[in-house]
Amino acid sequence: MSQRTDWFPGRRDDVLAMSRTWIEYLTAERRTAWGIPPERFTELTGLFEAARILLRRTGDETERTRVVTVKCRAAFKALAAEMRFFRDRYFKLPPLSEGDWAALGFRQKAPRPAPAAAPEGVPAASLSYPGGPHAVTIYLGPMAGTAEPDPRSDYGYSIYMGIMPPGGATLEQAASEKHYLMKPPADGKGLWRLRFTRRRKEKIIFDSEDAGMTVYICCRYENRKGETGQWGPVTYAIIP
């Protein structure tokens, strides 16, 4: 089946026009109300700007080259993927109104998704060093001996993280912005939420001041409604 959907524009100019409309309409207040993380909105605006610049370059005979053409194609592919993600994850009725739906450029009424089932699986994480300073890669998947996640309930992974200095944090460190851990966590309840992802691999780059400390990671499945399931096991690594 084609990845193209009825709502998605066919022409590149129209793709840019729709994404620009979204960016202008997604005020800080709306982003907060609709649960759109700041970094996700920044990603959308960055992809829009890259696609806009490359499309302009392909239309200029003095700048158009095969490399520019290939980069432009890749930029629009990335922008399209991000726009589809936004529509599927953030543009729901409610919290959007019918007026919001129309303002975002959709002609058809927003679909009413079937109720999301509660997460049932138990995920696990493993850690490795991908190279580069202060970097750790998280590999995500079902816990050994369990079935592959069901996307109807186990839609993605909610990752939780905590950092513990050698011997445990002092009271001052625990009360700091990073909330350093005073002791190893028994489960994910003592960790703070890092991010949601549907990918099987996530790279984290830590501050240089965290080198030599221990990072603890735990995850659990999350459905489309943001409901979470059981905690997976806690894993850890020394930050390089």
Side-chain angles (χ1 to χ4, degrees), residues 2 8 85 92 117 193 230:
S2 171
F8 197 78
F85 179 87
K92 303 295 183 183
R193 190 175 189 271
Q230 300 180 57

Side-chain angles (χ1 to χ4, degrees), residues 21-99:
T21 296
W22 291 8
I23 291 167
E24 293 175 349
Y25 194 71
L26 291 175
T27 61
E29 183 179 1
R30 290 190 177 103
R31 296 197 301 271
T32 299
W34 300 350
I36 301 174
E39 62 272 16
R40 204 80 211 198
F41 181 71
T42 300
E43 178 76 6
L44 176 65
T45 56
L47 291 171
F48 161 77
E49 190 63 22
R52 184 188 66 80
I53 292 172
L54 284 165
L55 183 62
R56 178 188 58 76
R57 293 182 64 188
T58 60
D60 187 333
E61 293 184 0
T62 63
E63 295 192 56
R64 185 173 62 240
T65 64
R66 179 174 177 79
V67 172
V68 170
T69 300
V70 171
K71 286 184 177 180
C72 184
R73 186 181 305 118
F76 272 89
K77 183 177 180 181
L79 177 59
E82 188 71 5
M83 292 173 70
R84 291 189 178 98
F85 179 87
F86 262 69
R87 181 183 185 275
D88 292 343
R89 183 159 180 82
Y90 303 125
F91 297 163
K92 303 295 183 183
L93 290 176
L96 277 70
S97 67
E98 294 287 353

Side-chain angles (χ1 to χ4, degrees), residues 142-153:
M143 195 164 69
T146 63
E148 284 291 316
D150 184 342
R152 293 170 298 180
S153 55

Side-chain angles (χ1 to χ4, degrees), residues 165-230:
T170 64
L171 288 174
E172 183 179 0
Q173 288 174 316
S176 70
E177 186 180 47
K178 291 187 177 181
H179 302 292
Y180 289 111
L181 300 172
M182 300 181 72
K183 62 180 180 179
D187 54 34
K189 294 178 182 178
L191 307 177
W192 53 272
R193 190 175 189 271
L194 175 65
R195 69 185 62 150
F196 170 86
T197 183
R198 298 200 67 206
R199 301 193 300 180
R200 291 291 187 102
K201 182 172 73 172
E202 288 286 334
K203 182 178 180 180
I204 307 176
I205 299 178
F206 296 89
D207 296 332
S208 59
E209 64 187 19
D210 296 332
M213 297 186 185
T214 303
V215 57
Y216 291 89
I217 297 291
C218 189
C219 60
R220 51 185 176 176
Y221 285 121
E222 183 176 319
N223 65 14
R224 290 176 180 268
K225 293 169 61 179
E227 297 171 334
T228 50
Q230 300 180 57

